[in-house]
Structure formats: structure tokens, C-alpha cells
């Protein structure tokens, strides 16, 4: 079948349709075209990403003007404070804007002195140096991940011959932090140190740092500069409270298992000694023998002198002839030298020693159970007190004290809150964009229309193919229908024709729309 014959048959088929059928087909085709156009716009629309955010109107205007000159599509969001461009062009656009000189915060630092100017005055030289120094400090400060933008203002007095007439320099810094970001005290101190080292004769107390909400960020640093006594006192109080909190949590966790949640309240007061002590001790051992000397002396004589020295009794009698009267003597000396062992010990006691503990525990009376016997009641309180004593490291020699009591808790606030709290509402359906909602609605309508058309065709086909009613006979058997070879589907012919001659199909569709 030639394409002309197929077009003729298609035209005849269209003319054979009823007016209602034509209107339904035209509406369905128009709806399909609209859905295809909408989906095409959604799928083919480029994804935009923020190029710059939190812009001033002047900065946004200069950037938009440059984007128009560069023929780059963009869109403004957040009330004109955010500029978005296609996601694949973000980095390239930033580079081009930076090279053109309109990038946000693209000030000039010491590049101001790259070009030599003749005839410049000292005042202009001073102002240029101050501008360059401000920009260099700003570039350094914005490198912090929490800082989005920064402005630095310096006041540098002119140097004079007399020091008493010389003014003190000062600095003011305004920081725009990123959403949800805060600066730690160490980071603020780092900014102060950078500015102090960059400006001659600038003192830390002459630097003022604020954020966009007017909060003074370096106000807490002045107390540290006045002395370390207050800082140490604050640190000791924090350590003391952390130690008390740790003991309280230990008690609460134990009683949570024993009595149940919310059945006891524990408070701990600890006296800590933060004094640092150092003690030295020296111990001497028995020692070792280094050297030893022994002296033995023997001698013999006659009528050895007797009596006390320096008296007449010391002089003996000397008989004229008496050779048999002789005296002998012996002398022994033993000298031993020792090296004494010396052991020296230095003990430094770290601060934070516990001097005294005071624990107060209040138990909900309802958590004690149905105990009617007072002796059993007191016995259970004593058991709980012993558990707490073991948990906190009770020491009676330090004067530690533990108090355990039982009384009913006031639960009126919880009951009122539960009564006034409304039931949780059911989760609402997520919001849908109008384009997506329209597409879903159109798809449902097309589906219903197709189902309606298919059902009507099947119904007509069944009516046309229904066999005649056979006569009332028991032995009647309908004759089998002859097998007719199936012809090619006309829809396949139409598809092939649309591929071969799309212009002719377009003319037919235009004709349908005109009718």
C-alpha cells in the first residue's frame, strides 16, 4: 500500500468518526502535547546554584550588570540578595567576575603600590597604606571557615616629634558570620593577635570586634588580660561543678535501675583542694665499704714509765744491774671508710584533692513500694544510703555526710502539661508544585479517557463478532469458523508512514485541528 493510499484511508477514517469522537480525540491529543511541553520544560530546564548570597543592593546590581554583558542566564532569589546561575557555570562565572574586578569584596591590598605615582603627598601615601593594610587584614580574617565577610577599620595617628603628643592607634572589625556559625574565644583571640601584630603600637584593649547583630565578641577577653586570678577561679569552679555533676549522674543512673525513672533527686557538694604541694625526703642507707686500714705494732722495754704524765711518778726506778726486768706492748688500729647511700624523693601532689563530700538524696515516697512496717522502711533507706556511700567513695575520716530522705513528689505540673497537650496531628501530605500537580491530573485524565475508548471498542467488537442464535436443538454444534490469516496491523503501517513521510502526517493533524 502506497503512502497516498494510506493517507486517503486515514482521511476517510477521520471523516467517518462522529463529532463527539473527534472532539474527544482532539482534546486528548492537545492534552498530550501540553503534558509533553510541560515535562520538556521541567526536564530541560537547567539546574541553578547560588553564585553569591547575602549581597548588598549595590553589589548585586554590579554583578547583574556584568552577567548581562557576559550573556549568562541568572535568577534572583531571597529578595535579590542571592544570585543563581546554571550549576555547570558557577566556578567559571566566578573566575570571570574576579578578573573583571566586580567580585564581591575584591578590594586592593598592597597592590595599590604596584604602580608608582609621581607627585603624591605624604597624606595620600598614609591613606593608601592604611587602605592596603585594612584590605590585607580583611583577606586574612575571611579565611576562617565561620566568617563570610569582614570589614576592618583602622585609625593610625600621624607620627609627631614628641611622644606625649602621639595618639594611640585603634581598630574596629565587623564580622558577618555564616548562618549557624559562631566563633570560639580562641578564634577571637587569634584575630586580636593578628591585628595587634600588623599595626604598630596597637594594644589589644584598643581593638573592638562585633558581629552583624551588634554583639561584642572580644568583650570576654578583657577579663583575661586583667589577670589570670579570675580565670583560675572560674576554671576551678567549673572543675568543681563537673566533678559534682559526675557524681550526681552516677547516683541517678544507679537509682534509675533500682527505683525507676524520675523517682529520686540527688545533689552533691564537693570541697576540693586546688593547692599544689611538693615534699622532699632523704633516706640514708647502710652504705658500702670503700677502704679499710689495719695497723699492728709490737714493742719491748724495761721499767716502762708508770704514773701520770708530768709527775714524778712517771719516772721509774732504774736499778743498777737488773737485766731480767723487761716490758712488752702491742697496738692494733682498724680504720674503715664507708660510702653512705643517699635516697632523695620529691613528691608533687596535684591539685583537686577531695577534702569533703556532702550528698543529699530525696526519694519519691511512691517509689518505696507498699511498705507499712517502719522498721522495714528504714532498713530500705539504709540500704540505699550504703549504695550511695559506695558509689561516691564515702570516707568518714574526711567528715563526709550522706542524707537520705523520702517524701511525696509534686507532679501537678506534669499532669497539667499532659492534659493541655493536644494529640499529635496526622502528617499532612507534602506540598506539590503546580506544574507537577497539573501533570499528574492530566495523566490521570488521559488514562481514564484511554480506558473509556478501549472499553467502547471492545464492546463494539464483541457485538459485531457475536454469532447468531442457533435453533433449539440438542445435537446442534456450531461450525468452526475458518481460519483467516491475520493481516498486518494498520497501526504499524501508520507508524512506518509517519517515519517515512512526517510532513504528510503533520498536514493531516492540521486538517483535524481545523475541523
Amino acid at each position: 500500500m502506497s503512502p497516498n493510499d494510506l493517507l486517503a484511508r486515514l482521511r476517510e477514517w477521520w471523516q467517518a468518526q462522529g463529532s463527539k469522537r473527534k472532539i474527544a480525540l482532539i482534546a486528548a491529543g492537545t492534552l498530550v502535547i501540553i503534558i509533553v511541553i510541560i515535562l520538556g520544560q521541567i526536564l530541560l530546564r537547567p539546574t541553578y546554584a547560588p553564585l553569591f548570597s547575602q549581597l548588598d543592593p549595590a553589589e548585586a546590581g554590579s554583578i547583574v550588570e556584568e552577567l548581562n554583558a557576559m550573556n549568562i542566564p541568572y535568577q534572583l532569589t531571597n529578595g535579590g540578595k542571592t544570585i543563581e546561575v546554571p550549576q555547570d557555570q558557577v566556578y567559571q562565572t566566578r573566575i570571570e567576575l574576579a578578573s573583571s574586578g566586580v567580585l564581591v569584596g575584591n578590594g586592593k591590598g598592597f597592590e595599590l603600590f604596584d604602580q608608582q605615582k609621581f607627585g603624591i603627598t605624604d597624606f595620600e601615601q598614609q591613606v593608601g597604606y592604611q587602605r592596603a593594610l585594612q584590605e590585607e587584614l580583611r583577606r586574612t580574617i575571611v579565611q576562617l571557615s565561620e566568617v563570610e565577610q569582614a570589614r576592618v577599620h583602622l585609625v593610625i595617628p600621624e607620627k609627631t616629634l614628641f611622644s606625649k603628643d602621639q595618639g594611640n592607634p585603634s581598630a574596629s572589625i565587623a564580622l558577618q558570620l555564616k548562618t549557624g556559625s559562631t566563633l570560639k574565644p580562641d578564634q577571637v583571640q587569634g584575630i586580636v593577635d593578628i591585628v595587634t601584630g600588623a599595626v604598630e603600637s596597637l594594644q589589644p584593649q584598643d581593638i573592638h570586634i562585633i558581629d552583624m547583630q551588634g554583639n561584642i565578641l572580644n568583650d570576654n577577653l578583657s577579663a583575661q588580660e586583667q589577670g589570670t586570678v579570675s580565670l583560675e577561679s572560674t576554671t576551678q569552679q567549673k572543675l568543681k561543678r563537673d566533678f559534682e555533676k559526675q557524681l550526681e549522674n552516677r547516683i541517678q543512673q544507679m537509682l534509675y535501675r533500682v527505683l525507676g525513672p524520675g523517682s529520686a533527686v540527688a545533689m552533691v557538694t564537693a570541697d576540693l583542694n586546688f593547692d599544689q604541694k611538693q615534699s622532699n625526703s632523704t633516706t640514708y642507707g647502710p652504705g658500702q665499704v670503700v677502704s679499710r686500714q689495719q695497723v699492728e705494732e709490737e714493742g719491748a722495754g724495761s721499767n716502762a714509765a708508770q704514773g701520770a704524765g708530768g709527775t714524778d711518778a712517771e719516772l721509774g726506778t732504774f736499778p743498777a744491774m737488773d737485766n731480767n726486768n723487761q716490758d712488752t706492748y702491742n697496738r692494733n688500729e682498724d680504720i674503715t671508710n664507708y660510702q653512705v647511700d643517699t635516697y632523695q624523693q620529691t613528691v608533687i601532689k596535684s591539685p583537686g584533692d577531695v577534702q569533703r563530700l556532702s550528698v543529699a538524696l530525696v526519694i519519691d515516697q511512691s517509689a518505696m513500694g507498699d511498705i507499712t512496717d517502719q522498721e522495714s522502711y528504714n532498713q530500705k533507706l539504709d540500704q540505699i544510703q550504703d549504695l550511695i556511700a559506695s558509689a561516691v567513695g564515702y570516707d568518714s575520716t574526711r567528715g563526709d555526710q550522706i542524707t537520705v530522705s523520702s517524701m511525696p513528689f509534686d507532679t501537678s505540673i506534669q499532669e497539667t502539661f499532659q492534659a493541655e497537650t493536644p494529640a499529635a496531628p496526622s502528617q499532612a501530605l507534602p506540598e506539590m508544585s503546580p506544574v507537577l500537580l497539573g501533570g499528574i491530573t492530566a495523566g490521570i485524565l488521559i488514562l481514564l479517557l484511554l480506558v473509556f475508548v478501549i472499553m467502547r471498542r471492545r464492546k463494539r467488537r464483541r457485538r459485531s463478532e457475536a454469532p447468531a442464535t442457533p435453533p433449539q436443538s440438542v445435537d446442534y454444534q456450531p461450525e468452526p469458523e475458518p481460519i483467516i490469516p491475520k493481516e498486518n496491523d494498520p497501526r504499524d503501517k501508520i507508524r512506518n508512514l509517519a517515519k517515512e513521510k512526517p510532513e504528510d502526517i503533520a498536514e493531516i493533524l492540521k486538517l483535524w485541528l481545523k475541523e
Side-chain angles (χ1 to χ4, degrees), residues 219-380:
D219 191 16
N220 296 330
L221 301 179
S222 58
Q224 301 180 11
E225 297 173 358
Q226 293 176 0
T228 59
V229 178
S230 60
L231 179 60
E232 290 182 1
S233 178
T234 304
T235 304
Q236 293 176 2
Q237 291 293 333
K238 184 178 182 301
L239 292 175
K240 177 177 178 295
R241 185 54 192 154
D242 291 343
F243 178 72
E244 295 172 348
K245 196 70 176 177
Q246 182 181 2
L247 294 180
E248 292 173 359
N249 292 336
R250 184 179 299 179
I251 297 173
Q252 292 290 152
Q253 290 177 2
M254 181 181 62
L255 296 179
Y256 178 86
R257 297 290 185 181
V258 176
L259 303 177
S263 300
V265 178
M267 298 297 294
V268 178
T269 302
D271 294 335
L272 304 181
N273 184 11
F274 291 97
D275 297 335
Q276 185 175 4
K277 296 181 181 180
Q278 179 177 350
S279 59
N280 301 322
S281 62
T282 304
T283 304
Y284 298 97
Q288 297 178 355
V289 177
V290 178
S291 63
R292 187 173 184 177
Q293 181 180 2
Q294 292 181 352
V295 179
E296 296 182 359
E297 184 178 353
E298 296 180 356
S302 60
N303 292 328
Q306 298 178 357
T311 61
D312 293 338
E314 184 181 5
L315 298 177
T317 59
F318 300 94
M321 294 296 293
D322 191 0
N323 294 328
N324 295 326
N325 189 10
Q326 294 182 352
D327 297 329
T328 62
Y329 67 93
N330 293 324
R331 185 172 65 89
N332 295 326
E333 293 183 1
D334 191 357
I335 302 174
T336 304
N337 294 323
Y338 293 91
Q339 182 178 4
V340 180
D341 295 338
T342 304
Y343 177 73
Q344 295 181 351
Q345 182 181 12
T346 301
V347 179
I348 300 176
K349 190 175 183 181
S350 60
D353 188 18
V354 179
Q355 290 185 334
R356 187 171 181 270
L357 282 178
S358 298
V359 181
L361 177 65
V362 181
I363 303 174
D364 190 3
Q365 194 170 6
S366 61
M368 297 295 294
D370 299 333
I371 301 177
T372 58
D373 186 9
Q374 186 65 29
E375 183 178 356
S376 301
Y377 192 85
N378 295 334
Q379 186 178 1
K380 187 172 183 179

